[in-house]
Amino acid sequence: MAKKSKFLSWFGFGKSDKQQAEQAAKEADNQKQIEEQQRIEAEKAEAERLEQERIAAEKAEAERLEQERIAAEKAEADRLEQERIAVEKAEAERFEQERIAAEKAKAERLEQERIAAEKAEAERLEQERIAAEKAEAERLEQERVAAEKAEAERLEQERIAAEQAEAERLAQEQQAAEQQRQEQQARLAEQEAAMKLEQERAAAEQAQREAEQVAAQKAEADRLEQERIAAEKAESERLEQERIAAEKAEAERLEQERIAAEKAEADRLEQERIAAEKAEADRLEQERIAAEKAEAERLEQERIAAEKAEADRLEQERIAAEKAEAERLEQERIAAEKAEAERLEQERIAAEKAEAARLEQERIAAERRDAERLEQERIAAEKAEAERLEQERIAEEQAEAERLEQEKAAQAAAEKPKKEGFFARLKKGLLKTRVNIGSGFASIFSGKKIDDELFEELETQLLTADLGVDTTMKLIDNLTDAADRKQLKDGDALYELMKQEMASMLKTAEQPLVVSGDKKPFVILMVGVNGVGKTTTIGKLAKQFQSEGKSVMLAAGDTFRAAAVEQLQVWGERNSIPVIAQHTGADSASVVFDAFQAAKARNADVLIADTAGRLQNKDNLMQELEKIARVMKKIDPDAPHEVMLTIDAGTGQNAISQVKLFNECVGLTGITLSKLDGTAKGGVIFAVADKFNIPIRYIGVGEGIDDLRTFNSSDFIDALFSQDEDDA
């Protein structure tokens, strides 16, 4: 019968007119709170929409800039490529004309260069020949005691002929390479054909020499060898002097030409070198062939005393040695050409890489300037929009506050109702959360047996109340173990056990804030993200400290959000509390530093420092908090004495991320959980208490000054699990 009376009284039956009026006033207050919450949610939704639009606009702008950059880079690359092709083509045509004119006008200079080049080539071939002869001489030392000098003359003549054939082949290969550089296979085939022709020519020369070398005498061979050695020595000294003079003149000329050359003309210089080498090789080859032919005819008549038997044996060995030597020389030439080509290619790549790096740096600098400009424009636009929204919100809040004040004054004049106690306000503030957690569990446990279905319903209800997966599973496991250990069968007994478990979970986080008297001023650094009620919490805390007889100062460290400084100054004016502030956009650390010094100078008891709201995943903003803490420690190594994080109970599990990251950044010493009256998911308080060993200092269950109260776990659990709906 008593339950029925309570049920009827809940719907307004059986009450007096006075009770009905009180009920109507309470309902009006509830409706106002609901409207206020809806307004706050609408503002939050509008802010989120604006943020999403800003992010989308920034993303679109970034994509557009990236596409423009890619298109510009592609166009620039195409333009540079076309310019390079045109320059190379024009340079090739110019070089061809210069080469034709140079061949006619500088014949005398080329003659000197030919002599120097011929001497250098002769020295290189001579060194290679000496090395080959030395190796051959070591093997044949015991076999050719008497015929060494005569054979040397014959081998020298054959070497000259081989060099002539080799030069002819090289000239042919260079000519083919000039006409078609990419036809490597054709050049190799031509080389093989030249080698085959060389063997055939050697065989023909051998047959001819066999007929001519019948009457060779050893004494004549000795004399000819001495004459040849003396002539070669004199010729070598003359050629050496001419080479040194030519190399010196050529080095000076090449140095001047090299200084004027650009790395970008590497390909052109390569083509010039190949053409010049080909023309020079052709001319040198023709002159050398004529000289060698005359010398060969003279020496051939002098060498007719060679012995035929020794010639046959040595001829076979010579052919094999010459073939091996020719192959080695060809490999060395190919390797030298390849090394030269790789060097030129590396120089070209280095030049292109340097140019690309310069263009990339210019592009990055341009992009950085554009990004900075866009970022400044975006910040200015956001700041202007935020100021406009903040001014509108302040105007609306002021108008709403005036209206509420007038209504309260009118209601107070009409009647003087009994002031509600804190416990009643606490139950009223936790009404939405109580539906999910406290009295809302009564329907789950009442009259039911303990089984898996009951625990599944309990798990769903806890997750709905936003206790989080880890905390929910921990609570379910503890209840399951306790039910098995105590052999509980009744759901009502399990309900009481759950209240005890949740109370013990909150008990670990119950530690009120104690303002130490030996620390003046006692510095409280308030941190948190935007929209959690941080500035409002500062005003309520300041008022409570002031009512306790403590002198309080405020530091307006939120210099980023529009009208944040003005909002804190309104709180200060309302409660006659000094506020240290600077202009919007000033350095937060400098504001807090000035406020700290002012508080020490005025011997204030408490200094509460506001900070800019920031997302916990923004490293640069989190680093600003570290800077503020470092600046405080310059004045007092123990400061800040309290680092309090304000979190919105309505944010749910995101509050866990906020606590974790802010604690890693500045080391939290306390938590204020605001807006418990406006959410049905206040169970996040259990997750915060379970996961972190950080005291929960205050909870907010309403808009009034007295609705920010020191957290007491026993009162919280009693109000949360209260089933007396009339007190709500």
Side-chain angles (χ1 to χ4, degrees), residues 262-277:
E262 296 292 337
K263 287 185 178 182
E265 297 179 353
D267 294 338
R268 179 182 65 78
L269 292 176
E270 178 64 16
Q271 294 176 358
E272 290 179 4
R273 185 184 64 78
I274 292 171
E277 286 180 356

Side-chain angles (χ1 to χ4, degrees), residues 329-347:
L329 291 174
E330 178 62 19
Q331 290 177 357
E332 290 179 355
R333 185 187 62 78
I334 293 172
E337 289 180 353
K338 185 176 180 181
E340 181 67 14
E342 289 177 352
R343 183 183 64 80
L344 293 174
E345 180 66 17
Q346 289 176 357
E347 291 178 354

Side-chain angles (χ1 to χ4, degrees), residues 442-487:
S443 60
I444 296 178
F445 291 98
S446 180
K448 293 184 179 180
K449 64 179 182 178
I450 301 176
D451 54 11
D452 292 341
E453 183 178 357
L454 175 62
F455 281 113
E456 288 180 0
E457 291 183 17
L458 176 60
E459 180 180 347
T460 301
Q461 194 73 9
L462 290 173
L463 291 174
T464 303
D466 224 345
L467 265 74
V469 176
D470 295 339
T471 305
T472 297
M473 297 309 298
K474 179 179 179 180
L475 185 59
I476 293 294
D477 291 341
N478 291 341
L479 291 178
T480 303
D481 294 341
D484 292 339
R485 187 173 62 255
K486 297 181 180 181
Q487 296 183 351

